[in-house]
Amino acid sequence: TWWSRVAYLGMLIFQVVFAVIPGGAFEVAGGYAFGALEGTILSVIGTTMGSALVFLTVRRWGLKYVLLFFTQEQLDSAKFMHDEKRLYLVAFIAFLIPGTPKDLLCYVAGLTDIRLSRWIIITSIARIPAITISTIGGNAIGTKSYLFAAVVFAVTVIISAVGVLIYRRITKVSEPETSDES
């Protein structure tokens, strides 16, 4: 029914706003419940709506709102998002890489000069590959293709681990150099 889709969109929006809730499980559930294609479409729409809501809320309430969900240390790890010359490219790449803290980046984006329309385009397009993989895995479970689902999830774990390493390298490069003069 259409109510199930509305409820699913609501859960995705809620998950992005309350960033402590991992989103991958929702995407898998979308693939299981609605199939890979519709699950992907709904997941992209829901996460984009959640990202836009977070973005607008941060623009309205600022850093104090962000600090309700994240520590200053976590925000500092995303300083690369404040590079105005490469903001759009860096944001796109960060969202494209599986394993990056996308919800954190949604909050940080609201603190930058990025325009909402561009933010929506970036988050929508860049999330598609990771969401698609998750919904394909969920659909495989729904169709009882357990071996295929296991392979999809194993590949996802490997890609995500590599993504986390890349993200750590990006965040390390963006940290200011400190000297230990004692």
Side-chain angles (χ1 to χ4, degrees):
T1 68
W2 66 275
W3 275 110
S4 62
R5 286 147 180 88
V6 171
Y8 180 66
L9 289 173
M11 288 187 281
L12 288 166
I13 293 166
F14 183 82
Q15 179 278 315
V16 174
V17 172
F18 294 97
V20 296
I21 304 168
F26 287 93
E27 296 159 6
V28 171
Y32 180 87
F34 305 112
L37 179 62
E38 187 177 2
T40 297
I41 292 168
L42 289 170
S43 294
V44 169
I45 291 169
T47 56
T48 300
M49 291 171 70
S51 297
L53 179 61
V54 165
F55 184 95
L56 292 170
T57 304
V58 170
R59 283 282 165 94
R60 171 71 174 97
W61 300 103
L63 183 60
K64 287 182 181 182
Y65 177 74
V66 176
L67 290 172
L68 292 173
F69 298 97
F70 299 101
T71 65
Q72 187 62 50
E73 184 178 298
Q74 289 172 307
L75 294 179
D76 291 343
S77 75
K79 285 232 185 263
F80 64 90
M81 291 280 292
H82 293 284
D83 181 351
E84 291 183 31
K85 292 179 183 173
R86 300 181 305 164
L87 177 60
Y88 299 111
L89 176 63
V90 169
F92 184 83
I93 291 170
F95 269 78
L96 192 62
I97 298 171
T100 60
K102 293 169 181 61
D103 296 336
L104 167 65
L105 299 177
C106 288
Y107 278 83
V108 171
L111 299 171
T112 69
D113 292 332
I114 196 168
R115 291 183 18 214
L116 176 62
S117 59
R118 289 189 179 178
W119 180 246
I120 289 172
I121 292 168
I122 288 169
T123 59
S124 300
I125 294 171
R127 285 184 182 203
I128 291 172
I131 288 174
T132 301
I133 291 170
S134 296
T135 58
I136 287 171
N139 184 58
I141 293 170
T143 60
K144 298 182 178 162
S145 302
Y146 300 120
L147 179 59
F148 180 66
V151 169
V152 168
F153 293 132
V155 169
T156 301
V157 167
I158 293 167
I159 292 171
S160 294
V162 171
V164 167
L165 294 174
I166 293 169
Y167 180 77
R168 285 185 181 163
R169 184 163 178 98
I170 289 170
T171 58
K172 197 169 215 155
V173 168
S174 70
E175 288 178 3
E177 301 242 353
T178 57
S179 60
D180 291 335
E181 295 178 30
S182 304

